[in-house]
Amino acid sequence: MMAHIERAATTGFCFGVKRAIDILTKAAVEHGRIVTLGAIVHNRQVTEKMAHLGIAVAPNLDAIHGDVAAIGSHGVSPQVEAEMKSRFRVLIDTTCPFVHRAQSTAKQMAAAGFKVIIFGEADHAEVIGILGHAQGKGIAAMDTGFIAELQPLPRKVGVLSQTTQIRSRFVAFGKDMVGSLLDKDVELRLADTICHDMSDRQEAALELARKVDLVLVVGSRTSANTNHLVDLCSTATNSRLIETADGLERIPLEGLQRIGVTSGASTADETVDAVIERLKKLA
Ligand code: F3S
């Protein structure tokens, strides 16, 4: 019997990735070769396609040769931005507006004297950039264990989130923060900086996961939001990450009646289409 294959209501590039690709594609026509700091998006297929347009990726500032550079959609710290402005003749900024919102929230909190807590992964490019905007007053954390090490306890604590985190986990984190600090004479400020595109995508993925035997999340292993989607879907059903249709070879599909397909925010819809086409032949 053939399995029923269902695509999530939201797949393909998110608003910020589409916007970044658009800005860079137009800029490449105007300036020729452009080098971006870090991945344009965390997706190899997209990066390869951009390379054909003359848009290259450098892992650090010193590896950028040429005079036209770009900041990726995850944004950078103000220090890195200033350094890039001084080094390159043209600097193109593709920072997603949702990331900008998180950066300016961190900046405002720090300026108002708050210790800034970012719910997110300390080594992710976006979080490193936001920490820079917190002017040295920021910490990245995934649970409230760090509170015990805050000596003395700050009088003002501000909490925000990496844009692609799972909303229900941020809510749980916020509640834990309130529970830990409520009777400690601390002013606590909480800001929901999760991106709308991502929370819609997560809701659609979870809705799908509840109806199927397996969810395939198409995206790169290095993409934080793709991994978050796998985690989220795993709370409802068996879930696997695949980068392209070729990844289907390693997934046991026998006996499955319903298979769901969703994607990370930096996966092209064409890659999702190719997975579904191959799946129709295999399942
Ligand atoms: Fe921006 Fe959200 Fe995409 S933060 S880059 S629209 S996942």
Side-chain angles (χ1 to χ4, degrees), residues 14-17 73 96-99 126 163-164 195 197-198 225 265:
C14 65
F15 154 78
V17 167
S73 57
C96 173
F98 287 112
V99 176
E126 179 199 330
T163 56
T164 56
C195 127
D197 192 299
M198 189 41 68
N225 76 74

Side-chain angles (χ1 to χ4, degrees), residues 3-218:
H4 173 75
I5 298 158
E6 195 171 332
R7 184 185 196 123
T10 313
T11 57
F13 293 144
C14 65
F15 154 78
V17 167
K18 268 193 212 123
R19 181 178 169 275
I21 293 173
D22 220 43
I23 294 172
L24 287 167
T25 309
K26 284 188 186 127
V29 174
E30 191 186 338
H31 300 288
R33 191 178 137 81
I34 300 172
V35 186
T36 72
L37 180 62
I40 301 158
V41 292
H42 286 133
N43 186 289
R44 194 159 43 85
Q45 287 74 31
V46 178
T47 311
E48 280 166 8
K49 211 166 169 183
M50 302 293 280
H52 289 297
L53 300 172
I55 303 159
V57 173
N60 55 56
L61 272 181
D62 292 333
I64 303 182
H65 303 293
D67 58 358
V68 184
I71 297 170
S73 57
H74 295 307
V76 293
S77 67
Q79 297 80 0
V80 171
E81 184 176 351
E83 178 67 27
M84 290 179 88
K85 274 190 180 143
S86 73
R87 282 196 196 196
F88 306 104
R89 185 176 57 83
V90 179
L91 180 63
I92 297 149
D93 187 358
T94 74
T95 307
C96 173
F98 287 112
V99 176
H100 255 308
R101 183 178 63 160
Q103 291 174 341
S104 52
T105 303
K107 188 174 167 188
Q108 282 161 13
M109 284 176 172
F114 285 80
K115 179 90 189 161
V116 182
I117 313 300
I118 299 152
F119 178 65
E121 290 122 19
D123 58 351
H124 188 275
E126 179 199 330
V127 176
I128 294 168
I130 299 172
L131 282 169
H133 285 264
Q135 298 154 13
K137 294 180 190 156
I139 295 178
M142 292 299 291
D143 59 55
T144 53
F146 71 93
I147 294 177
E149 284 153 38
L150 286 181
Q151 297 294 345
L153 205 56
R155 298 292 304 275
K156 292 173 155 193
V157 177
V159 182
L160 62 132
S161 177
Q162 180 181 1
T163 56
T164 56
Q165 287 292 334
I166 296 171
R167 177 164 271 122
S168 57
R169 292 193 186 159
F170 178 58
V171 169
F173 179 79
K175 284 183 180 162
D176 276 358
M177 290 294 294
V178 173
S180 309
L181 298 176
L182 200 56
D183 59 350
K184 304 260 183 344
D185 194 18
V186 170
E187 179 184 346
L188 188 60
R189 188 184 286 182
L190 288 150
D192 176 359
T193 50
I194 292 176
C195 127
H196 297 200
D197 192 299
M198 189 41 68
S199 50
D200 289 352
R201 185 178 301 253
Q202 287 174 352
E203 265 171 42
L206 192 57
E207 201 180 303
L208 177 67
R210 291 194 182 114
K211 297 191 287 193
V212 297
D213 308 313
L214 169 72
V215 171
L216 297 169
V217 183
V218 189

